[in-house]
């Protein structure tokens, strides 16, 4: 399968296959224990839990943003400890519109793993359809995960600096418009965006019920990005901390566009360098 998105029914039909690993990625910014508590209360049978900050990010430092990329070897060991091997089929879900699940999808692809998917809609929709849930936690049999790091999927601050005003590169800011425009900034120390970046809010990939939009709607919503890719331009996507940019990358992959990089540190890394320029308003 080339489409990174799978339906609830697809997972329901395959959830007990021996090489399937279901990962609960629920996490709430500002309430870091809420996701794990929700998992302990109820989750998809057989699912294991991975925490955005403790498992899918490195400790915060001077640079690297609010959710720095983990070291590849450390992440690989963590994945192996929860039973994910190079042969596993991994399906990630959350209840945040696929934001955190997409982060795991991106990290696994970064480590060279192809058989990873994001479940459409999320846990609440699974539960509302009376699909099976449980509080029982899976007995994990540790495995071994050997990473083959794909550096071409990640951009750093130097890549973004060189992209500003470069006609061969398109920078895409995935945050909501008021943050991109610099009208408000509820999380980070500075408001605005990287100069020359366009805005493509990641939640535009979702409908009013939180389901991923149709292929045609996704294509229309990301038309400027797709035009750039069709023209042979490089695309670097960022957000606040390298998490909510990931659904935009999933959306592009679902449309057949894989030549996209994540600026992992994103806006919170960009503003950690005092010399970096900041733009406000529309581009």
């Amino acid at each position: 399968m080339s489409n990174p998105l799978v339906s609830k029914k697809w997972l329901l039909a395959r959830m007990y296959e021996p090489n399937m690993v279901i990962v609960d990625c629920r996490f709430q910014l500002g309430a870091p224990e809420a996701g794990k508590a929700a998992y302990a209360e109820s989750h998809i049978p057989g699912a294991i839990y991975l925490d955005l900050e403790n498992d899918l990010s490195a400790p915060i430092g001077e640079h690297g943003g609010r959710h720095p990329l983990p070291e590849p070897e450390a992440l690989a060991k963590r994945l192996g400890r929860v039973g994910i091997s190079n042969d596993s089929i991994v399906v990630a879900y959350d209840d945040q519109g696929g934001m955190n699940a997409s982060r795991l999808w991106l990290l696994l692809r970064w480590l060279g793993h192809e058989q990873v998917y994001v479940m459409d809609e999320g846990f609440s929709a699974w539960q509302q359809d009376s699909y099976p849930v449980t509080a029982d936690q899976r007995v994990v049999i540790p495995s071994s995960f050997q990473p083959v790091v794909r550096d071409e999927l990640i951009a750093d601050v130097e890549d973004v600096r060189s992209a500003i005003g470069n006609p061969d590169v398109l920078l895409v800011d995935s945050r909501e418009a008021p943050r991109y425009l610099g009208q408000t900034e509820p999380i980070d120390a500075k408001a605005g965006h990287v100069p020359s970046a366009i805005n493509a809010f990641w939640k535009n990939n979702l409908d009013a019920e939180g389901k991923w939009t149709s292929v045609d709607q996704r294509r229309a919503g990301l038309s400027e990005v797709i035009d750039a890719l069709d023209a042979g331009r490089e695309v670097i996507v960022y957000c606040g901390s390298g998490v909510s940019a990931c659904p935009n990358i999933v959306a592009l992959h679902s449309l057949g566009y894989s030549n996209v990089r994540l600026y992992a540190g994103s806006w919170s890394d960009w503003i950690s360098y005092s010399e970096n320029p900041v733009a406000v308003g529309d581009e």
Side-chain angles (χ1 to χ4, degrees):
M1 290 175 58
S2 58
N3 186 355
L5 297 169
V6 297
S7 68
K8 303 189 303 294
K9 287 184 178 179
W10 185 94
L11 180 57
L12 182 69
R14 296 164 177 82
M15 58 190 295
Y16 295 113
E17 291 181 359
N19 59 340
M20 177 71 69
V21 180
I22 304 169
V23 185
D24 188 317
C25 297
R26 283 178 286 176
F27 184 89
Q28 294 183 33
L29 292 174
E33 300 301 320
K36 190 171 185 179
Y39 166 79
E41 181 179 325
S42 184
H43 52 264
I44 295 176
I48 55 97
Y49 182 76
L50 287 175
D51 182 271
L52 173 63
E53 295 186 342
N54 294 324
D55 300 313
L56 306 182
S57 306
I60 296 175
E62 180 183 2
H63 302 297
R66 286 182 279 108
H67 294 109
L69 277 186
E71 290 295 326
E73 289 296 336
L75 178 59
K77 288 180 180 177
R78 177 61 182 148
L79 296 172
R81 284 199 297 270
V82 296
I84 297 175
S85 74
N86 297 81
D87 297 323
S88 298
I89 298 173
V90 180
V91 177
Y93 72 88
D94 56 37
D95 238 354
Q96 287 74 39
M99 180 177 72
N100 303 316
S102 296
R103 166 78 169 205
L104 176 61
W105 174 89
L106 188 285
L107 291 179
L108 276 165
R109 285 188 51 80
W110 175 51
L111 296 190
H113 195 73
E114 295 290 340
Q115 295 190 93
V116 54
Y117 306 98
V118 174
M119 188 184 82
D120 195 359
E121 296 183 83
F123 180 73
S124 290
W126 175 280
Q127 200 170 29
Q128 287 164 10
D129 282 355
S130 299
Y131 287 8
V133 298
T134 185
D136 296 337
Q137 297 195 20
R138 167 179 175 171
V139 176
V140 173
I141 300 173
S143 186
S144 175
F145 188 96
Q146 301 299 322
V148 181
V149 179
R150 301 176 63 193
D151 289 324
E152 70 273 16
L153 300 185
I154 303 296
D156 61 19
V157 67
E158 292 296 337
D159 296 318
V160 176
R161 285 171 178 157
S162 65
I164 294 175
N166 185 339
D168 295 326
V169 185
L170 180 67
L171 295 172
V172 180
D173 188 314
S174 302
R175 297 171 301 163
E176 58 189 331
R179 292 183 69 193
Y180 164 82
L181 295 169
Q183 296 170 347
T184 184
E185 183 45 67
I187 303 173
D188 293 309
K190 292 181 183 179
H193 60 266
V194 179
S196 80
I198 67 163
N199 186 218
F201 185 34
W202 73 273
K203 282 192 176 179
N204 291 342
N205 297 308
L206 307 176
D207 65 18
E209 284 73 45
K211 182 179 175 63
W212 286 72
T213 57
S214 70
V215 167
D216 288 343
Q217 288 172 310
R218 263 176 271 150
R219 188 176 295 277
L222 292 166
S223 60
E224 191 170 356
V225 184
I226 289 170
D227 287 346
L229 288 164
D230 285 341
R233 297 175 69 186
E234 180 184 352
V235 168
I236 298 174
V237 186
Y238 75 90
C239 55
S241 66
V243 180
S244 64
C246 295
N248 267 339
I249 299 176
V250 168
L252 288 165
H253 273 252
S254 75
L255 299 171
Y257 295 91
S258 59
N259 186 25
V260 184
R261 289 203 282 171
L262 170 70
Y263 173 26
S266 287
W267 181 248
S268 52
D269 176 62
W270 182 257
I271 61 172
S272 70
Y273 298 89
S274 59
E275 68 273 22
N276 282 347
V278 169
V280 296
D282 209 353
E283 291 281 346

